[in-house]
Amino acid sequence: MGFSLLCMFLGPTLMYVAFSNQEKPLYIPLLILSLLICSLAIYFAFIGLKTIMDSMFHKTSN
């Protein structure tokens, strides 16, 4: 969940930087990186919440 929280702030910040510098040569790589970080934030949030919910309801994974 901590890594997800870090990605939740880093991804949109990088996206803002990319959109504010559209004339620079690193616009496309920075935009792709920020989209990847945003999707990782969503993925890690779902994995973390699933882990928390499984531990609360004592569900074992087999």
Side-chain angles (χ1 to χ4, degrees):
M1 291 299 290
F3 189 68
S4 173
L5 185 65
L6 177 70
C7 288
M8 284 180 191
F9 286 102
L10 185 62
T13 302
L14 286 177
M15 192 176 295
Y16 174 77
V17 169
F19 281 132
S20 64
N21 294 319
Q22 291 183 3
E23 66 278 352
K24 303 288 182 184
L26 287 178
Y27 166 67
I28 297 296
L30 193 58
L31 185 63
I32 292 171
L33 180 67
S34 67
L35 290 173
L36 180 66
I37 291 173
C38 286
S39 61
L40 280 175
I42 294 170
Y43 174 74
F44 284 127
F46 276 118
I47 295 298
L49 287 174
K50 183 181 180 313
T51 303
I52 291 171
M53 294 303 286
D54 288 347
S55 69
M56 285 176 61
F57 294 113
H58 305 290
K59 186 176 180 181
T60 59
S61 59
N62 291 328

Short mmCIF file of all heavy atoms in Angstrom, two decimals:
data_model
loop_
_atom_site.label_atom_id
_atom_site.label_comp_id
_atom_site.label_asym_id
_atom_site.label_seq_id
_atom_site.Cartn_x
_atom_site.Cartn_y
_atom_site.Cartn_z
N MET A 1 0.83 -1.19 0.00
CA MET A 1 0.00 0.00 0.00
C MET A 1 0.88 1.26 0.00
O MET A 1 0.47 2.27 -0.56
CB MET A 1 -0.93 0.00 1.22
CG MET A 1 -2.01 -1.07 1.20
SD MET A 1 -3.16 -0.95 -0.16
CE MET A 1 -4.08 0.48 0.26
N GLY A 2 2.02 1.17 0.60
CA GLY A 2 2.92 2.32 0.62
C GLY A 2 3.46 2.65 -0.76
O GLY A 2 3.55 3.82 -1.14
N PHE A 3 3.82 1.60 -1.51
CA PHE A 3 4.31 1.83 -2.87
C PHE A 3 3.18 2.37 -3.76
O PHE A 3 3.42 3.20 -4.63
CB PHE A 3 4.88 0.53 -3.45
CG PHE A 3 5.59 0.72 -4.74
CD1 PHE A 3 6.78 1.43 -4.80
CD2 PHE A 3 5.07 0.20 -5.91
CE1 PHE A 3 7.43 1.63 -6.00
CE2 PHE A 3 5.71 0.39 -7.11
CZ PHE A 3 6.90 1.10 -7.15
N SER A 4 1.96 1.90 -3.51
CA SER A 4 0.81 2.41 -4.25
C SER A 4 0.60 3.89 -3.96
O SER A 4 0.32 4.68 -4.87
CB SER A 4 -0.44 1.62 -3.89
OG SER A 4 -1.58 2.18 -4.47
N LEU A 5 0.73 4.28 -2.71
CA LEU A 5 0.58 5.69 -2.34
C LEU A 5 1.65 6.55 -2.99
O LEU A 5 1.36 7.65 -3.48
CB LEU A 5 0.63 5.84 -0.82
CG LEU A 5 0.38 7.22 -0.26
CD1 LEU A 5 -1.06 7.64 -0.56
CD2 LEU A 5 0.64 7.26 1.22
N LEU A 6 2.87 6.04 -3.04
CA LEU A 6 3.95 6.77 -3.70
C LEU A 6 3.65 6.94 -5.19
O LEU A 6 3.82 8.03 -5.75
CB LEU A 6 5.28 6.03 -3.51
CG LEU A 6 6.49 6.63 -4.20
CD1 LEU A 6 6.89 7.93 -3.52
CD2 LEU A 6 7.63 5.64 -4.18
N CYS A 7 3.17 5.89 -5.82
CA CYS A 7 2.84 5.95 -7.26
C CYS A 7 1.64 6.87 -7.51
O CYS A 7 1.55 7.50 -8.57
CB CYS A 7 2.54 4.56 -7.79
SG CYS A 7 3.98 3.52 -7.94
N MET A 8 0.72 6.95 -6.55
CA MET A 8 -0.45 7.81 -6.72
C MET A 8 -0.07 9.29 -6.77
O MET A 8 -0.80 10.10 -7.34
CB MET A 8 -1.46 7.59 -5.59
CG MET A 8 -2.25 6.34 -5.70
SD MET A 8 -3.39 6.20 -4.33
CE MET A 8 -3.94 4.53 -4.56
N PHE A 9 1.02 9.65 -6.15
CA PHE A 9 1.48 11.04 -6.21
C PHE A 9 2.49 11.26 -7.34
O PHE A 9 2.48 12.30 -7.99
CB PHE A 9 2.10 11.46 -4.88
CG PHE A 9 1.08 11.69 -3.81
CD1 PHE A 9 0.85 10.75 -2.83
CD2 PHE A 9 0.33 12.85 -3.79
CE1 PHE A 9 -0.10 10.96 -1.85
CE2 PHE A 9 -0.63 13.08 -2.83
CZ PHE A 9 -0.84 12.12 -1.85
N LEU A 10 3.34 10.28 -7.58
CA LEU A 10 4.39 10.43 -8.58
C LEU A 10 3.83 10.42 -10.00
O LEU A 10 4.25 11.23 -10.84
CB LEU A 10 5.42 9.32 -8.41
CG LEU A 10 6.64 9.38 -9.31
CD1 LEU A 10 7.44 10.65 -9.02
CD2 LEU A 10 7.50 8.16 -9.09
N GLY A 11 2.88 9.55 -10.30
CA GLY A 11 2.33 9.44 -11.65
C GLY A 11 1.66 10.71 -12.13
O GLY A 11 2.02 11.23 -13.20
N PRO A 12 0.67 11.24 -11.40
CA PRO A 12 0.05 12.50 -11.85
C PRO A 12 1.00 13.69 -11.88
O PRO A 12 0.86 14.57 -12.73
CB PRO A 12 -1.07 12.72 -10.84
CG PRO A 12 -1.39 11.37 -10.33
CD PRO A 12 -0.08 10.64 -10.31
N THR A 13 1.99 13.71 -10.99
CA THR A 13 2.97 14.79 -11.01
C THR A 13 3.80 14.75 -12.30
O THR A 13 4.00 15.78 -12.95
CB THR A 13 3.89 14.71 -9.79
OG1 THR A 13 3.10 14.76 -8.60
CG2 THR A 13 4.89 15.84 -9.77
N LEU A 14 4.24 13.55 -12.67
CA LEU A 14 4.98 13.42 -13.91
C LEU A 14 4.11 13.71 -15.12
O LEU A 14 4.58 14.27 -16.11
CB LEU A 14 5.57 12.01 -14.03
CG LEU A 14 6.78 11.71 -13.15
CD1 LEU A 14 7.20 10.25 -13.33
CD2 LEU A 14 7.92 12.63 -13.46
N MET A 15 2.83 13.36 -15.05
CA MET A 15 1.92 13.65 -16.15
C MET A 15 1.73 15.17 -16.31
O MET A 15 1.69 15.69 -17.42
CB MET A 15 0.57 12.97 -15.92
CG MET A 15 -0.33 12.99 -17.13
SD MET A 15 -1.85 12.08 -16.89
CE MET A 15 -1.25 10.43 -16.71
N TYR A 16 1.65 15.87 -15.20
CA TYR A 16 1.54 17.33 -15.24
C TYR A 16 2.78 17.95 -15.87
O TYR A 16 2.69 18.86 -16.70
CB TYR A 16 1.31 17.88 -13.84
CG TYR A 16 1.33 19.39 -13.79
CD1 TYR A 16 0.23 20.13 -14.23
CD2 TYR A 16 2.44 20.07 -13.32
CE1 TYR A 16 0.24 21.51 -14.19
CE2 TYR A 16 2.46 21.45 -13.28
CZ TYR A 16 1.35 22.17 -13.72
OH TYR A 16 1.38 23.53 -13.69
N VAL A 17 3.94 17.44 -15.48
CA VAL A 17 5.19 17.95 -16.04
C VAL A 17 5.26 17.67 -17.54
O VAL A 17 5.69 18.51 -18.33
CB VAL A 17 6.41 17.33 -15.30
CG1 VAL A 17 7.70 17.63 -16.02
CG2 VAL A 17 6.46 17.83 -13.87
N ALA A 18 4.81 16.49 -17.94
CA ALA A 18 4.84 16.14 -19.36
C ALA A 18 3.91 17.04 -20.16
O ALA A 18 4.27 17.52 -21.24
CB ALA A 18 4.44 14.68 -19.54
N PHE A 19 2.70 17.28 -19.66
CA PHE A 19 1.75 18.11 -20.40
C PHE A 19 2.14 19.59 -20.41
O PHE A 19 1.77 20.32 -21.32
CB PHE A 19 0.33 17.95 -19.85
CG PHE A 19 -0.35 16.70 -20.33
CD1 PHE A 19 -1.01 15.88 -19.44
CD2 PHE A 19 -0.35 16.36 -21.66
CE1 PHE A 19 -1.64 14.73 -19.87
CE2 PHE A 19 -0.99 15.22 -22.11
CZ PHE A 19 -1.63 14.40 -21.22
N SER A 20 2.90 20.02 -19.43
CA SER A 20 3.30 21.42 -19.41
C SER A 20 4.53 21.67 -20.30
O SER A 20 4.86 22.82 -20.57
CB SER A 20 3.58 21.88 -17.98
OG SER A 20 4.68 21.18 -17.45
N ASN A 21 5.20 20.60 -20.74
CA ASN A 21 6.38 20.74 -21.61
C ASN A 21 6.19 19.94 -22.89
O ASN A 21 7.01 19.10 -23.23
CB ASN A 21 7.65 20.25 -20.88
CG ASN A 21 7.99 21.12 -19.70
OD1 ASN A 21 7.89 22.33 -19.79
ND2 ASN A 21 8.41 20.50 -18.61
N GLN A 22 5.14 20.22 -23.63
CA GLN A 22 4.84 19.43 -24.82
C GLN A 22 5.83 19.68 -25.96
O GLN A 22 5.95 18.85 -26.85
CB GLN A 22 3.42 19.73 -25.30
CG GLN A 22 2.37 19.20 -24.36
CD GLN A 22 0.97 19.42 -24.89
OE1 GLN A 22 0.79 19.93 -25.97
NE2 GLN A 22 -0.01 19.05 -24.09
N GLU A 23 6.53 20.77 -25.95
CA GLU A 23 7.47 21.05 -27.04
C GLU A 23 8.84 20.43 -26.80
O GLU A 23 9.69 20.47 -27.68
CB GLU A 23 7.61 22.57 -27.23
CG GLU A 23 8.26 23.30 -26.08
CD GLU A 23 7.31 23.64 -24.94
OE1 GLU A 23 6.09 23.44 -25.08
OE2 GLU A 23 7.79 24.09 -23.89
N LYS A 24 9.09 19.84 -25.64
CA LYS A 24 10.38 19.24 -25.33
C LYS A 24 10.49 17.84 -25.95
O LYS A 24 9.49 17.18 -26.20
CB LYS A 24 10.56 19.13 -23.81
CG LYS A 24 10.44 20.43 -23.07
CD LYS A 24 11.63 21.31 -23.32
CE LYS A 24 11.46 22.58 -22.50
NZ LYS A 24 12.46 23.55 -22.69
N PRO A 25 11.71 17.36 -26.18
CA PRO A 25 11.86 16.04 -26.81
C PRO A 25 11.50 14.87 -25.89
O PRO A 25 11.21 13.79 -26.38
CB PRO A 25 13.35 15.99 -27.19
CG PRO A 25 14.00 17.01 -26.33
CD PRO A 25 12.97 18.06 -26.05
N LEU A 26 11.49 15.08 -24.59
CA LEU A 26 11.15 14.00 -23.66
C LEU A 26 9.66 13.94 -23.33
O LEU A 26 9.26 13.26 -22.39
CB LEU A 26 11.95 14.15 -22.36
CG LEU A 26 13.43 13.82 -22.45
CD1 LEU A 26 14.10 14.06 -21.11
CD2 LEU A 26 13.62 12.40 -22.90
N TYR A 27 8.83 14.62 -24.11
CA TYR A 27 7.38 14.65 -23.84
C TYR A 27 6.77 13.25 -23.90
O TYR A 27 6.10 12.82 -22.96
CB TYR A 27 6.70 15.59 -24.82
CG TYR A 27 5.20 15.47 -24.85
CD1 TYR A 27 4.44 15.84 -23.75
CD2 TYR A 27 4.54 14.98 -25.97
CE1 TYR A 27 3.07 15.73 -23.77
CE2 TYR A 27 3.17 14.86 -26.00
CZ TYR A 27 2.44 15.24 -24.90
OH TYR A 27 1.08 15.12 -24.91
N ILE A 28 6.99 12.53 -24.98
CA ILE A 28 6.37 11.21 -25.17
C ILE A 28 6.89 10.18 -24.17
O ILE A 28 6.09 9.49 -23.53
CB ILE A 28 6.55 10.73 -26.63
CG1 ILE A 28 5.85 11.67 -27.60
CG2 ILE A 28 6.04 9.30 -26.81
CD1 ILE A 28 4.34 11.73 -27.45
N PRO A 29 8.22 10.05 -23.97
CA PRO A 29 8.68 9.08 -22.97
C PRO A 29 8.19 9.39 -21.55
O PRO A 29 7.85 8.48 -20.79
CB PRO A 29 10.20 9.16 -23.04
CG PRO A 29 10.49 9.72 -24.37
CD PRO A 29 9.35 10.62 -24.70
N LEU A 30 8.15 10.66 -21.20
CA LEU A 30 7.69 11.04 -19.87
C LEU A 30 6.20 10.77 -19.70
O LEU A 30 5.75 10.33 -18.64
CB LEU A 30 7.99 12.51 -19.60
CG LEU A 30 7.87 13.00 -18.17
CD1 LEU A 30 8.79 12.21 -17.26
CD2 LEU A 30 8.19 14.47 -18.08
N LEU A 31 5.44 10.98 -20.76
CA LEU A 31 4.00 10.69 -20.71
C LEU A 31 3.76 9.19 -20.60
O LEU A 31 2.90 8.76 -19.80
CB LEU A 31 3.33 11.25 -21.96
CG LEU A 31 1.81 11.13 -22.02
CD1 LEU A 31 1.18 11.94 -20.89
CD2 LEU A 31 1.30 11.59 -23.37
N ILE A 32 4.51 8.39 -21.33
CA ILE A 32 4.37 6.92 -21.23
C ILE A 32 4.76 6.45 -19.84
O ILE A 32 4.07 5.60 -19.25
CB ILE A 32 5.22 6.25 -22.33
CG1 ILE A 32 4.63 6.54 -23.70
CG2 ILE A 32 5.33 4.76 -22.09
CD1 ILE A 32 5.50 6.11 -24.84
N LEU A 33 5.84 6.99 -19.29
CA LEU A 33 6.27 6.62 -17.94
C LEU A 33 5.23 6.99 -16.90
O LEU A 33 4.93 6.20 -15.99
CB LEU A 33 7.61 7.29 -17.62
CG LEU A 33 8.19 6.99 -16.24
CD1 LEU A 33 8.59 5.53 -16.15
CD2 LEU A 33 9.37 7.89 -15.98
N SER A 34 4.63 8.17 -17.03
CA SER A 34 3.62 8.59 -16.05
C SER A 34 2.36 7.73 -16.15
O SER A 34 1.76 7.40 -15.13
CB SER A 34 3.29 10.06 -16.24
OG SER A 34 2.64 10.27 -17.47
N LEU A 35 1.96 7.34 -17.35
CA LEU A 35 0.81 6.45 -17.50
C LEU A 35 1.09 5.07 -16.92
O LEU A 35 0.21 4.45 -16.30
CB LEU A 35 0.40 6.34 -18.97
CG LEU A 35 -0.22 7.59 -19.57
CD1 LEU A 35 -0.41 7.41 -21.07
CD2 LEU A 35 -1.53 7.91 -18.90
N LEU A 36 2.31 4.60 -17.09
CA LEU A 36 2.70 3.32 -16.50
C LEU A 36 2.69 3.39 -14.98
O LEU A 36 2.19 2.47 -14.31
CB LEU A 36 4.09 2.93 -17.00
CG LEU A 36 4.65 1.61 -16.49
CD1 LEU A 36 3.84 0.44 -17.01
CD2 LEU A 36 6.09 1.47 -16.89
N ILE A 37 3.18 4.46 -14.41
CA ILE A 37 3.20 4.62 -12.96
C ILE A 37 1.78 4.73 -12.42
O ILE A 37 1.45 4.17 -11.37
CB ILE A 37 4.07 5.82 -12.55
CG1 ILE A 37 5.54 5.50 -12.83
CG2 ILE A 37 3.90 6.17 -11.08
CD1 ILE A 37 6.48 6.66 -12.62
N CYS A 38 0.90 5.44 -13.13
CA CYS A 38 -0.50 5.55 -12.70
C CYS A 38 -1.19 4.19 -12.72
O CYS A 38 -1.95 3.85 -11.81
CB CYS A 38 -1.26 6.53 -13.59
SG CYS A 38 -0.85 8.25 -13.30
N SER A 39 -0.92 3.39 -13.74
CA SER A 39 -1.53 2.07 -13.80
C SER A 39 -0.95 1.15 -12.73
O SER A 39 -1.66 0.32 -12.16
CB SER A 39 -1.38 1.45 -15.18
OG SER A 39 -0.03 1.31 -15.51
N LEU A 40 0.33 1.30 -12.41
CA LEU A 40 0.91 0.52 -11.32
C LEU A 40 0.30 0.91 -9.97
O LEU A 40 0.12 0.05 -9.11
CB LEU A 40 2.43 0.73 -11.27
CG LEU A 40 3.26 -0.07 -12.25
CD1 LEU A 40 4.73 0.34 -12.15
CD2 LEU A 40 3.13 -1.55 -12.00
N ALA A 41 -0.03 2.17 -9.80
CA ALA A 41 -0.67 2.61 -8.56
C ALA A 41 -2.02 1.93 -8.39
O ALA A 41 -2.36 1.47 -7.30
CB ALA A 41 -0.83 4.13 -8.56
N ILE A 42 -2.79 1.85 -9.46
CA ILE A 42 -4.09 1.19 -9.40
C ILE A 42 -3.92 -0.29 -9.11
O ILE A 42 -4.62 -0.87 -8.27
CB ILE A 42 -4.87 1.43 -10.70
CG1 ILE A 42 -5.21 2.90 -10.84
CG2 ILE A 42 -6.13 0.57 -10.75
CD1 ILE A 42 -5.75 3.29 -12.19
N TYR A 43 -2.97 -0.93 -9.79
CA TYR A 43 -2.73 -2.37 -9.60
C TYR A 43 -2.31 -2.67 -8.16
O TYR A 43 -2.86 -3.57 -7.52
CB TYR A 43 -1.66 -2.84 -10.58
CG TYR A 43 -1.23 -4.26 -10.36
CD1 TYR A 43 -2.05 -5.32 -10.73
CD2 TYR A 43 0.00 -4.56 -9.78
CE1 TYR A 43 -1.67 -6.63 -10.52
CE2 TYR A 43 0.39 -5.87 -9.58
CZ TYR A 43 -0.44 -6.90 -9.95
OH TYR A 43 -0.05 -8.20 -9.73
N PHE A 44 -1.35 -1.93 -7.64
CA PHE A 44 -0.88 -2.18 -6.28
C PHE A 44 -1.94 -1.85 -5.24
O PHE A 44 -1.99 -2.48 -4.18
CB PHE A 44 0.41 -1.42 -6.00
CG PHE A 44 1.62 -2.03 -6.64
CD1 PHE A 44 2.45 -1.27 -7.43
CD2 PHE A 44 1.93 -3.36 -6.45
CE1 PHE A 44 3.56 -1.82 -8.03
CE2 PHE A 44 3.04 -3.93 -7.05
CZ PHE A 44 3.86 -3.16 -7.85
N ALA A 45 -2.81 -0.88 -5.52
CA ALA A 45 -3.90 -0.58 -4.59
C ALA A 45 -4.88 -1.74 -4.53
O ALA A 45 -5.33 -2.13 -3.44
CB ALA A 45 -4.61 0.71 -5.01
N PHE A 46 -5.22 -2.31 -5.68
CA PHE A 46 -6.12 -3.46 -5.67
C PHE A 46 -5.50 -4.66 -4.97
O PHE A 46 -6.17 -5.35 -4.19
CB PHE A 46 -6.53 -3.85 -7.09
CG PHE A 46 -7.68 -3.06 -7.62
CD1 PHE A 46 -7.51 -2.27 -8.74
CD2 PHE A 46 -8.92 -3.11 -7.02
CE1 PHE A 46 -8.57 -1.53 -9.24
CE2 PHE A 46 -9.98 -2.37 -7.51
CZ PHE A 46 -9.81 -1.57 -8.62
N ILE A 47 -4.23 -4.93 -5.22
CA ILE A 47 -3.55 -6.05 -4.56
C ILE A 47 -3.49 -5.83 -3.05
O ILE A 47 -3.75 -6.74 -2.26
CB ILE A 47 -2.14 -6.24 -5.15
CG1 ILE A 47 -2.21 -6.64 -6.61
CG2 ILE A 47 -1.34 -7.27 -4.35
CD1 ILE A 47 -2.90 -7.95 -6.87
N GLY A 48 -3.17 -4.61 -2.64
CA GLY A 48 -3.10 -4.32 -1.20
C GLY A 48 -4.45 -4.41 -0.52
O GLY A 48 -4.56 -4.97 0.58
N LEU A 49 -5.48 -3.89 -1.16
CA LEU A 49 -6.82 -3.98 -0.57
C LEU A 49 -7.31 -5.42 -0.53
O LEU A 49 -7.98 -5.82 0.42
CB LEU A 49 -7.81 -3.11 -1.35
CG LEU A 49 -7.64 -1.62 -1.14
CD1 LEU A 49 -8.56 -0.85 -2.07
CD2 LEU A 49 -7.91 -1.25 0.30
N LYS A 50 -6.98 -6.21 -1.53
CA LYS A 50 -7.37 -7.62 -1.52
C LYS A 50 -6.68 -8.35 -0.37
O LYS A 50 -7.29 -9.15 0.33
CB LYS A 50 -7.01 -8.28 -2.85
CG LYS A 50 -7.45 -9.73 -2.93
CD LYS A 50 -7.05 -10.34 -4.26
CE LYS A 50 -7.45 -11.78 -4.39
NZ LYS A 50 -7.16 -12.64 -3.28
N THR A 51 -5.40 -8.05 -0.15
CA THR A 51 -4.66 -8.66 0.95
C THR A 51 -5.27 -8.28 2.30
O THR A 51 -5.44 -9.13 3.19
CB THR A 51 -3.19 -8.24 0.90
OG1 THR A 51 -2.65 -8.59 -0.37
CG2 THR A 51 -2.39 -8.88 2.01
N ILE A 52 -5.62 -7.01 2.45
CA ILE A 52 -6.23 -6.56 3.71
C ILE A 52 -7.59 -7.22 3.93
O ILE A 52 -7.90 -7.68 5.03
CB ILE A 52 -6.34 -5.02 3.71
CG1 ILE A 52 -4.96 -4.39 3.81
CG2 ILE A 52 -7.23 -4.54 4.85
CD1 ILE A 52 -4.94 -2.91 3.59
N MET A 53 -8.40 -7.28 2.87
CA MET A 53 -9.72 -7.89 3.02
C MET A 53 -9.61 -9.40 3.30
O MET A 53 -10.38 -9.94 4.11
CB MET A 53 -10.55 -7.67 1.75
CG MET A 53 -10.89 -6.21 1.52
SD MET A 53 -11.76 -5.45 2.89
CE MET A 53 -13.36 -6.17 2.69
N ASP A 54 -8.66 -10.09 2.67
CA ASP A 54 -8.46 -11.50 2.94
C ASP A 54 -8.02 -11.73 4.37
O ASP A 54 -8.45 -12.70 5.01
CB ASP A 54 -7.44 -12.09 1.97
CG ASP A 54 -7.97 -12.24 0.57
OD1 ASP A 54 -9.21 -12.12 0.37
OD2 ASP A 54 -7.17 -12.46 -0.35
N SER A 55 -7.19 -10.87 4.90
CA SER A 55 -6.74 -11.05 6.28
C SER A 55 -7.84 -10.70 7.28
O SER A 55 -7.90 -11.29 8.36
CB SER A 55 -5.50 -10.20 6.54
OG SER A 55 -5.82 -8.82 6.55
N MET A 56 -8.71 -9.78 6.93
CA MET A 56 -9.81 -9.44 7.84
C MET A 56 -10.84 -10.56 7.92
O MET A 56 -11.41 -10.81 8.99
CB MET A 56 -10.50 -8.15 7.39
CG MET A 56 -9.71 -6.90 7.67
SD MET A 56 -10.50 -5.43 7.04
CE MET A 56 -12.03 -5.41 7.94
N PHE A 57 -11.08 -11.23 6.82
CA PHE A 57 -12.11 -12.27 6.80
C PHE A 57 -11.50 -13.67 6.85
O PHE A 57 -12.19 -14.64 6.60
CB PHE A 57 -12.99 -12.11 5.56
CG PHE A 57 -13.79 -10.84 5.61
CD1 PHE A 57 -13.54 -9.82 4.70
CD2 PHE A 57 -14.78 -10.65 6.55
CE1 PHE A 57 -14.26 -8.64 4.74
CE2 PHE A 57 -15.51 -9.48 6.60
CZ PHE A 57 -15.25 -8.48 5.69
N HIS A 58 -10.22 -13.77 7.19
CA HIS A 58 -9.51 -15.03 7.38
C HIS A 58 -9.64 -15.97 6.19
O HIS A 58 -9.84 -17.17 6.35
CB HIS A 58 -9.99 -15.74 8.64
CG HIS A 58 -9.89 -14.89 9.86
ND1 HIS A 58 -8.67 -14.54 10.41
CD2 HIS A 58 -10.83 -14.28 10.62
CE1 HIS A 58 -8.89 -13.76 11.46
NE2 HIS A 58 -10.19 -13.60 11.60
N LYS A 59 -9.53 -15.41 5.01
CA LYS A 59 -9.61 -16.22 3.81
C LYS A 59 -8.21 -16.70 3.46
O LYS A 59 -7.28 -15.91 3.37
CB LYS A 59 -10.19 -15.40 2.65
CG LYS A 59 -10.44 -16.18 1.41
CD LYS A 59 -11.10 -15.31 0.38
CE LYS A 59 -11.38 -16.09 -0.88
NZ LYS A 59 -12.00 -15.25 -1.91
N THR A 60 -8.06 -18.00 3.28
CA THR A 60 -6.77 -18.54 2.88
C THR A 60 -6.76 -18.79 1.40
O THR A 60 -7.75 -19.18 0.80
CB THR A 60 -6.48 -19.87 3.61
OG1 THR A 60 -7.49 -20.81 3.29
CG2 THR A 60 -6.43 -19.66 5.12
N SER A 61 -5.62 -18.53 0.78
CA SER A 61 -5.52 -18.76 -0.66
C SER A 61 -4.95 -20.15 -0.89
O SER A 61 -3.89 -20.51 -0.39
CB SER A 61 -4.62 -17.70 -1.29
OG SER A 61 -3.34 -17.76 -0.70
N ASN A 62 -5.64 -20.97 -1.64
CA ASN A 62 -5.22 -22.34 -1.97
C ASN A 62 -4.99 -22.46 -3.44
O ASN A 62 -5.52 -21.95 -4.27
CB ASN A 62 -6.27 -23.36 -1.52
CG ASN A 62 -6.35 -23.45 -0.01
OD1 ASN A 62 -5.34 -23.27 0.64
ND2 ASN A 62 -7.50 -23.73 0.50
#
